[in-house]
Amino acid sequence: FRALFTLAPDQLKLVVDSIVWAFRHTERNIAETGLNLLLEMTKFFQVSEFCNQFHQSFYLSLIQEIFAVMTDGFHKPGFKLHALLLQNLFTIAESESLSAPLWDVSAKGPGGYQNNAAFVKEHVSNLLTTSFPNMSIAEATVLVQGMFDYKSDLTLFKNHLRDFLVQTKQFKTSDNSAMFAEEQAARQSAERARVDAIPGMLPPNQIDMGDD
């Protein structure tokens, strides 16, 4: 990732655009590769001396792109990574490592917003009401505030996002099991471990004999 710091702005934009192209892809493996790359990149830039420059250039567009794939109905298997990315981006908005304003200073002035978090809340609320005309600004404001409130707890954060997605029209009548795949796998693993610990609970053909 250090090599990214040596790239010219247009070259770095090409890299970011390529990652966005990847996570927009409907092929699951390609989409997951793009999401994982972006997650690593944002974490790396957050703790680097280029945190301000990177997020001033890409923060708003990345927020928009992640919400776009998360709500399009075609990328449900990527929900966990969507949640992790949004959680990370909302955390960055309130972190001390991001000291430069994310809003357009030439239009709003350096004091246009109290801080980046206040701007991001307003920006994302407007983004959601534009994307979902049936969503009122009050509903969007509550939703975005919840994302900030729950950003330190991934489980609560994901539950909050799921509630929002299920409320949107395209998710109401569709199969949303992919959004719960991680929790389902964890429950199955825990149940298997519980059963394994009880002698006689598993039939012989399901017992893992290992090297024996």
Side-chain angles (χ1 to χ4, degrees):
F1 278 106
R2 296 290 306 179
L4 295 174
F5 298 161
T6 66
L7 297 178
D10 59 334
Q11 293 174 319
L12 180 58
K13 183 178 185 303
L14 181 61
V15 172
V16 174
D17 287 346
S18 299
I19 292 174
V20 171
W21 174 87
F23 71 68
R24 281 179 179 174
H25 207 286
T26 53
E27 177 64 38
R28 181 172 179 174
N29 291 340
I30 298 175
E32 286 186 355
T33 298
L35 292 169
N36 279 308
L37 274 171
L38 182 59
L39 184 61
E40 291 300 313
M41 180 183 286
T42 54
K43 287 180 177 179
F44 194 81
F45 272 100
Q46 183 181 0
V47 297
S48 79
E49 64 269 33
F50 298 97
C51 179
N52 287 336
Q53 295 95 312
F54 178 82
H55 289 99
Q56 281 185 313
S57 298
F58 302 110
Y59 186 98
L60 298 182
S61 61
L62 289 176
I63 283 273
Q64 181 172 341
E65 293 289 354
I66 295 165
F67 269 107
V69 293
M70 187 177 70
T71 58
D72 67 6
F74 299 106
H75 292 86
K76 292 179 185 179
F79 173 74
K80 175 188 174 182
L81 289 169
H82 299 154
L84 282 169
L85 279 161
L86 289 175
Q87 179 192 36
N88 191 43
L89 287 170
F90 287 137
T91 299
I92 291 172
E94 289 190 322
S95 71
E96 295 181 356
S97 58
L98 180 62
S99 57
L102 292 173
W103 63 88
D104 185 354
V105 174
S106 62
K108 297 288 186 178
Y113 292 88
Q114 182 179 359
N115 49 45
N116 279 322
F119 165 69
V120 170
K121 290 175 185 178
E122 179 182 301
H123 177 81
V124 176
S125 295
N126 291 334
L127 175 65
L128 293 175
T129 54
T130 301
S131 302
F132 302 98
N134 293 330
M135 177 177 287
S136 68
I137 189 65
E139 290 173 325
T141 300
V142 170
L143 169 67
V144 174
Q145 183 61 52
M147 293 181 191
F148 274 87
D149 291 343
Y150 300 138
K151 68 183 185 301
S152 60
D153 187 318
L154 181 59
T155 299
L156 292 176
F157 188 82
K158 289 194 295 185
N159 288 339
H160 188 66
L161 283 179
R162 285 194 192 100
D163 289 343
F164 154 64
L165 291 173
V166 172
Q167 289 172 10
T168 62
K169 183 177 180 181
Q170 61 266 50
F171 282 77
K172 281 185 177 179
T173 59
S174 59
D175 179 10
N176 298 316
S177 59
M179 294 192 298
F180 296 88
E182 180 190 8
E183 286 79 0
Q184 180 65 22
R187 284 194 296 269
Q188 290 175 348
S189 178
E191 178 61 18
R192 177 60 185 249
R194 184 188 70 81
V195 172
D196 285 349
I198 304 174
M201 283 291 289
L202 283 177
N205 65 327
Q206 292 185 23
I207 297 175
D208 183 5
M209 300 299 292
D211 291 337
D212 296 336

